[in-house]
Amino acid sequence: MNKKIKLLFIALIAITIFTTACKNKSNQNLSSKKTSKNIVKSLDFSYFPAETTVLAIVDFQSIFNIKAFQPMLKKLFSKVKESNSLDLSELNSLSAFINIKDFKNNPLSNAAIILDGINLSKLKKMPKAPKTEKFEGLDINIYDDNTGFVVIGNKTIGGTLISVKNAISLNKGKSKNLASTPRNNDFKEIISKLNNSQLNLIFVSNEKTDSEIKNFFSKPQFFMLKEFTDNLKSAGFGIKVDNKNIDFTLVMKSSKDGVKSLASLANTQLNQIKPNLDKQLTNLKAIVTPSGINIIKNMVNTVKIEEKNEFLVISFRLTMKDAMKIPEIVMALGLIPAKGKLK
């Protein structure tokens, strides 16, 4: 794995394992000192560069307050605090930024993650950094020539050294940050339309990415999408979890005419697919099992494609009941050994 993005992937993998391991077993309450009811208002954009292209945001306090997850979380918090003196219940959010200057030449060269509400250096089992470097009065823990992390107040910032240093300078007001530019509002606009999702991925285009997107979709097979892709401004994908469902939302901003055209085309395709869904999925039974087919059918039947002025909104739902069947389906297919089943 590229060392420059090692810390980013470690954090995102940890989140995935952490959230998917939770089981729907109880209605007990877990007391929390803070609740992030509106991630748009609570997120600190001053650590992100003005040219930020992609943001990933996980609203942990919202996840912590889901009743279905609380029995598992209480045990996890207790074990971590006992063994590492770290209170995970204080974790507010994780955000990650990527500044993409172009898609082709190392797009992840300027990327970092920010853990808000937690000091990762207090983790007893955290590997000790081989060296530290003083920057703007702060100690950056360096793990190789390209990656490291720093603690600022109750935030832990990790990623490429250049992005960690940039985040420090940005927050100190020594260079232009995202909070001081109109792009800040572009990100907030998309986030606010993602159905209060706890996991969010947002893209706001810039001049360089604009030209690359237009160039990619200039091929003849994308002719019907031209009005939409030529005016694509931003996009976001969100996942919202509660005790009963997992809701997925995709939002894209373009011109009104482009959105209207694509929504019409997509709904036409969807209306053609639904009546013949059983027949179209027949060949997949051997691959995903009959239970897997039912899950796909249930999800497809919840798909909604809507045009809302400049925004195209696509949503679908996976019930928690169906979600709990997925590990068994994966094991039945031999993709993971049965002994690896979560208890």
Side-chain angles (χ1 to χ4, degrees):
M1 180 184 294
N2 189 325
K3 291 182 179 179
K4 292 184 179 181
I5 55 174
K6 187 189 303 179
L7 291 179
L8 179 60
F9 278 145
I10 288 173
L12 295 179
I13 290 170
I15 291 167
T16 302
I17 295 173
F18 171 70
T19 55
T20 56
C22 299
K23 297 286 185 177
N24 187 356
K25 292 181 179 179
S26 174
N27 289 324
Q28 300 176 34
N29 289 320
L30 176 70
S31 62
S32 175
K33 295 181 180 179
K34 297 180 181 179
T35 302
S36 299
K37 292 185 177 180
N38 191 331
I39 196 68
V40 176
K41 293 181 180 179
S42 64
L43 190 65
D44 187 352
F45 285 82
S46 68
Y47 288 92
F48 308 136
E51 302 82 10
T52 295
T53 319
V54 177
L55 283 181
I57 305 166
V58 182
D59 183 356
F60 277 105
Q61 286 298 315
S62 179
I63 294 172
F64 293 165
N65 280 278
I66 296 174
K67 292 181 180 180
F69 294 170
Q70 290 177 3
M72 180 268 185
L73 289 171
K74 290 175 73 174
K75 292 180 182 178
L76 175 65
F77 292 163
S78 178
K79 287 182 180 179
V80 171
K81 193 166 186 177
E82 182 181 346
S83 61
N84 288 286
S85 302
L86 195 67
D87 189 355
L88 286 181
S89 69
E90 295 290 339
L91 181 57
N92 294 320
S93 65
L94 178 146
S95 54
F97 74 79
I98 302 174
N99 181 12
I100 301 178
K101 294 183 178 179
D102 62 75
F103 291 113
K104 298 177 182 177
N105 301 315
N106 199 6
L108 298 180
S109 61
N110 189 358
I113 60 169
I114 300 173
L115 291 167
D116 182 12
I118 202 165
N119 183 340
L120 211 59
S121 65
K122 293 183 179 180
L123 190 65
K124 290 182 180 179
K125 295 182 181 180
M126 186 75 177
K128 187 176 180 179
K131 61 179 180 178
T132 61
E133 178 182 335
K134 207 82 171 176
F135 183 79
E136 298 286 355
L138 298 169
D139 290 323
I140 300 178
N141 300 277
I142 301 174
Y143 285 88
D144 54 45
D145 291 336
N146 298 306
T147 58
F149 78 90
V150 67
V151 176
I152 305 178
N154 66 341
K155 292 180 174 64
T156 299
I157 304 171
T160 61
L161 283 181
I162 185 173
S163 57
V164 171
K165 290 180 179 180
N166 282 345
I168 296 171
S169 297
L170 289 163
N171 184 252
K172 289 180 177 289
K174 294 191 174 183
S175 53
K176 203 170 185 179
N177 60 37
L178 182 60
S180 62
T181 73
R183 292 175 64 80
N184 169 51
N185 296 323
D186 294 333
F187 277 102
K188 287 185 175 182
E189 181 181 50
I190 287 292
I191 296 171
S192 67
K193 295 185 180 298
L194 288 176
N195 191 31
N196 294 317
S197 296
Q198 293 111 337
L199 288 84
N200 305 273
L201 184 65
I202 310 99
F203 166 77
V204 174
S205 191
N206 57 35
E207 290 183 7
K208 182 63 178 178
T209 55
D210 277 348
S211 61
E212 292 197 28
I213 291 171
K214 289 179 182 179
N215 182 57
F216 178 82
F217 285 102
S218 64
K219 300 169 185 175
Q221 60 266 40
F222 299 122
F223 175 76
M224 296 184 71
L225 305 178
K226 182 175 175 56
E227 174 68 26
F228 182 86
T229 56
D230 279 356
N231 295 284
L232 181 64
K233 300 176 181 69
S234 55
F237 179 70
I239 301 175
K240 180 181 179 181
V241 184
D242 59 29
N243 294 296
K244 296 181 179 180
N245 302 299
I246 304 174
D247 290 309
F248 302 84
T249 304
L250 173 64
V251 178
M252 294 178 284
K253 184 178 182 180
S254 183
S255 66
K256 289 183 180 180
D257 288 341
V259 168
K260 184 176 182 179
S261 175
L262 183 54
S264 176
L265 178 64
N267 273 310
T268 298
Q269 293 293 323
L270 183 63
N271 291 333
Q272 291 176 349
I273 289 172
K274 283 186 176 181
N276 303 304
L277 191 58
D278 286 331
K279 184 177 180 180
Q280 295 180 40
L281 293 176
T282 300
N283 294 332
L284 291 177
K285 285 186 178 179
I287 302 174
V288 298
T289 76
S291 293
I293 293 294
N294 287 332
I295 292 174
I296 294 173
K297 286 170 57 179
N298 292 341
M299 290 178 67
V300 171
N301 286 328
T302 67
V303 173
K304 292 182 180 179
I305 302 170
E306 303 171 282
E307 54 173 293
K308 298 182 179 180
N309 295 318
E310 296 177 309
F311 297 92
L312 177 69
V313 181
I314 301 174
S315 61
F316 60 94
R317 171 173 289 177
L318 173 66
T319 66
M320 191 65 74
K321 183 178 180 181
D322 279 347
M324 291 299 134
K325 297 176 183 177
I326 293 176
E328 295 181 5
I329 294 171
V330 173
M331 286 185 288
L333 295 172
L335 299 178
I336 59 174
K339 63 180 181 181
K341 184 177 180 179
L342 293 172
K343 295 181 180 180

